[in-house]
Amino acid sequence: MTSRESFDMQHKDKATLLERLIFNNRPMVIAICLLVSVFLFWQATQIRPSTSFEKMIPLQHPFIEQMMEHRNDLANLGNTVRVSVEAVNGDIFDKDYMETLRQIHDEVFYIPGVDRAGLKSLWSPSVRWSEVTEEGFSGGEVIPNTYNGSQDSLDTLRDNVLKSGQVGRLVANNFKSSIIDIPLLENHPDPQDPGRQVKLDYQQFSHQLEEKIRDKFQAQNPNVKIHIVGFAKKVGDLIDGLVMVAMFFGVALVITWALLYWFTWCIRSTIAVLITTLVAVVWQLGLMHAVGFGLDPYSMLVPFLIFAIGISHGVQKINGIALQSSDADNALTAARRTFRQLFLPGMIAILADAVGFITLLIIDIGVIRELAIGASIGVAVIVFTNLILLPVAISYVGISQKAIARSKKDATREHPFWRLLSNFASPKVAPVSVVLALLAFGGGLWYSQNLKIGDLDQGAPELRPDSRYNQDNSFIISNYSTSSDVLVIMVKTPAESCSIHSTMAPIDELMWTMDNTPGVQSTISLVTVSKQVIKGMNEGSLKWETLSRNPDILNNSIARADGLYNADCSLAPVLVFLNDHKAETLERVTAAAKAFADSHNKEGLQFLLAAGNAGIEAATNEVIKSAELTILILVYICVAVMCMITFRSFAATLCIVLPLVLTSVLGNALMAFMGIGVKVATLPVVALGVGIGVDYGIYIYSRLESFLRAGLPLQEAYYETLRSTGKAVLFTGLCLAIGVCTWIFSAIKFQADMGLMLTFMLLWNMFGALWLLPALARFLIKPEKLAGKEGGSIFAH
């Protein structure tokens, strides 16, 4: 009898209370699981894509708190969509173009979720022009009531546009397009029941923009091309990408089925693993709906992870049952022995997975917290489906004789591949492995200094650069003076004080400071309008383009600053238009604004940061930057504590955790090399990669320690470990990677980034466990101290 066989025999007759409770009541276990599955399947069928503006932002950040406090005073500076209507040939001063623009304006007006009071285009009565004449100021609507589409009225329209100050804002610099600004309501009256408020459905809103605006009017007028940008449109496009994600799940399922059959050579056990794992996914989705969550573009990762984790634990169980079946009387005995042997390491590995997810709860962003909760629910159900239901199911259906015969053959024959890998634990190879690991760690640490926080590209980095949204965004950036990236600094004063000189002079100084900050395109505030009006009141002389100290003149000068101060003149936003929302741009601009605010805030005058989409991005980047290291430290502390509790050995903990540390460092270096920033989409990968990756080390070390206690030298013990569990670990790594690698081909770039990073981390964690763990054990573990001892890890009991 081999040492491995003698060890296994020691654990065959010690049935635990949990084992007796489960296997003595197998029909009841299956019945309960069946009833729960029916109920949760019904719940899962009702889950829908769901997201909201507030779930995507860090609500507890000071920037966001200030924005939410004053959101009613910030007209059109929150959740908005911009529709640019381009004249393909000619310019906007064309009868057909203006008629199409009017129809689009009217169509948008009636789309549910639009804040109709704030809707703005050339056809809006609130868009006005003004000029100074010999008799004083003259002005009116840009498109007057007398407009009839004639050449004379179009010429008048051209003059009005030039005098309106809207060139570069609502009208393109080259006069070939104009914009419709569409502010949105997060909650709006239900079209079917106006007395009831409903949440804005981003996917439906995006589809209405496509069908009722883009498709309809481009077909109606071939000379018109429509470009649409804004948070709601971007999120709508992301949710549409979920359909492709469902296809990826199907592809992963087929590939996993083929690999499982290749691994087991048993159709019964293959189907059992797949069904129990799919049950876990259904339970997870059903429970998410039961607690009130929907699916957003970020939480779509969770079913893939649950499927991959479930398959990995299922493979360990099937591998164990196949090994036990070689000398067990029946399938029930083999299943019970496997349950007894693998339930604890499986439970510890699942707890480690859960730790990686739970640490994400410290990030104050709704979508990440929902991802963390959904994933924690998912790994919890795996305990029931793959650690309990699967062995019970196999105890009924059994494993084919072909698979058992193959397992018997594997148990007795020499394995050249595993013998080769066992050299990682040899006295000659182990030092080389450790040196290589140290070099890789140093190189990765050095290169990861290039890793940035936030977005590194213009437009919507969540989508591919060639996506329609990013093409639309590029068009607007290149044709308008006011970009789609706006940082809003709120100037707060006592009521009726925003127009006094002691307030407007610091605002003017702030605008000068921001205009001279690299990355800023332009700035606008009530001071901009005031100076223009004062200049106009003085025959257009540039010498008078300044702030007056006369209160009456200042009050009169801001009368036309529509939307640039609130109703009681206690809040005046300063709009800072940026070249882009890259991380370094936001950091530089917000630093300049904070420095100005710190030096100018006083009683009765406050400069508050920040609103606008750039302010939200800056707040999100700050939250992620502060949470990144905290999450990494926390997940490693939790994993290390669990390993210490499990193996009761500091050396064993180091053997398991150090390969994970190397993977994290190399993962950061890969992100820096690939130009992927740390953001909402990629930050969870850090915790997930560590939490899931520790499974390999736990399974390998628990088995290695067992053989060391049986008296085998380290290299021979590692060879026996590989013979018994190496194939399952290798297969587990492939299954986990397959579960997420299909995301690399997603049209949604952040999903592709997540897929790439998780695939790398999961494969490298597997390699680290097979390569570096035994090398570290050569230096940290003393086999002679373990030999013959019954203490140590909880797996010894």
Side-chain angles (χ1 to χ4, degrees), residues 51-52 54-58 288 293 296-299 301-302 356-376 620-621 623-625 627-628 631 678-688 750 754:
T51 189
S52 71
E54 293 183 359
K55 277 176 28 179
M56 308 284 281
I57 60 179
M288 280 186 68
F293 293 163
D296 59 58
Y298 297 89
S299 64
L301 171 69
V302 175
F357 297 128
I358 291 170
T359 54
L360 294 174
L361 289 173
I362 69 172
I363 303 176
D364 175 36
I365 298 175
V367 289
I368 293 185
R369 287 183 169 175
E370 286 195 10
L371 183 151
I373 294 170
S376 300
T620 304
N621 288 353
V623 167
I624 289 174
K625 187 174 184 178
E628 180 195 15
I631 284 180
V678 181
K679 48 193 176 183
V680 173
T682 52
L683 182 59
V685 172
V686 175
L688 302 183
F750 85 81
M754 292 177 85

Side-chain angles (χ1 to χ4, degrees), residues 111-352:
I111 294 179
V114 171
D115 183 1
R116 295 169 182 174
L119 184 63
K120 184 179 289 188
S121 77
L122 289 178
W123 283 96
S124 301
S126 60
V127 178
R128 303 176 63 85
W129 62 272
S130 63
E131 67 175 346
V132 180
T133 66
E134 295 175 349
E135 299 176 353
F137 276 98
S138 178
E141 298 175 10
V142 168
I143 301 180
N145 292 331
T146 57
Y147 174 85
N148 58 15
S150 65
Q151 189 58 49
D152 287 343
S153 62
L154 288 171
D155 291 340
T156 300
L157 171 62
R158 183 189 296 270
D159 291 339
N160 291 348
V161 166
L162 292 172
K163 292 181 287 188
S164 68
Q166 294 295 339
V167 177
R169 299 174 66 184
L170 283 182
V171 177
N173 294 318
N174 60 4
F175 301 102
K176 289 181 65 65
S177 64
S178 68
I179 276 179
I180 302 174
D181 267 330
I182 311 171
L184 303 179
L185 299 169
E186 191 69 25
N187 295 284
H188 62 88
D190 186 348
Q192 308 301 323
D193 181 9
R196 187 172 70 97
Q197 293 283 312
V198 295
K199 293 189 69 173
L200 179 64
D201 186 328
Y202 286 88
Q203 185 182 28
Q204 184 181 11
F205 181 78
S206 175
H207 288 175
Q208 288 183 315
L209 289 177
E210 291 293 336
E211 296 164 7
K212 294 185 177 181
I213 306 300
R214 197 193 309 257
D215 295 344
K216 176 181 176 180
F217 289 99
Q218 285 185 166
Q220 180 178 305
N221 186 349
N223 192 45
V224 160
K225 188 174 182 181
I226 293 173
H227 311 270
I228 308 173
V229 298
F231 175 81
K233 187 67 183 75
K234 177 176 70 175
V235 172
D237 288 351
L238 292 176
I239 293 175
D240 285 338
L242 301 185
V243 176
M244 184 175 290
V245 170
M247 291 171 50
F248 290 153
F249 192 88
V251 171
L253 183 65
V254 171
I255 296 174
T256 303
W257 180 87
L259 287 175
L260 266 174
Y261 184 72
W262 171 79
F263 178 82
T264 61
W265 286 98
C266 173
I267 193 69
R268 282 176 285 171
S269 55
T270 296
I271 292 174
V273 172
L274 280 177
I275 289 178
T276 52
T277 304
L278 288 174
V279 166
V281 173
V282 169
W283 283 22
Q284 185 262 333
L285 292 173
L287 287 169
M288 280 186 68
H289 181 265
V291 298
F293 293 163
L295 281 179
D296 59 58
Y298 297 89
S299 64
M300 271 303 294
L301 171 69
V302 175
F304 281 76
L305 288 176
I306 299 310
F307 179 75
I309 294 169
I311 290 291
S312 72
H313 287 285
V315 165
Q316 295 288 348
K317 297 296 174 291
I318 293 301
N319 184 59
I321 292 172
L323 289 171
Q324 296 291 349
S325 295
S326 60
D327 61 352
D329 296 333
N330 51 48
L332 174 59
T333 303
R336 294 186 70 144
R337 289 175 179 174
T338 302
F339 177 87
R340 196 177 309 155
Q341 181 182 343
L342 293 181
F343 182 80
L344 266 178
M347 179 64 91
I348 295 299
I350 285 175
L351 286 174

Side-chain angles (χ1 to χ4, degrees), residues 17 19 52 204 230 451 474 476 488 494 502 513 548 608 640 662 721 751 766 784:
L17 175 63
E19 179 192 330
S52 71
Q204 184 181 11
L451 186 62
S474 177
I476 290 176
V488 180
S502 59
T513 300
S548 172
L608 307 176
L662 176 60
T721 298
Q751 289 181 342
M766 176 195 71
E784 63 276 7

Side-chain angles (χ1 to χ4, degrees), residues 264-266 321-323 325-327 399-413:
T264 61
W265 286 98
C266 173
I321 292 172
L323 289 171
S325 295
S326 60
D327 61 352
I399 293 180
S400 68
Q401 290 302 314
K402 183 179 180 181
I404 294 173
R406 187 184 183 199
S407 179
K408 283 183 178 180
K409 183 179 178 182
D410 284 346
T412 55
R413 72 181 178 90

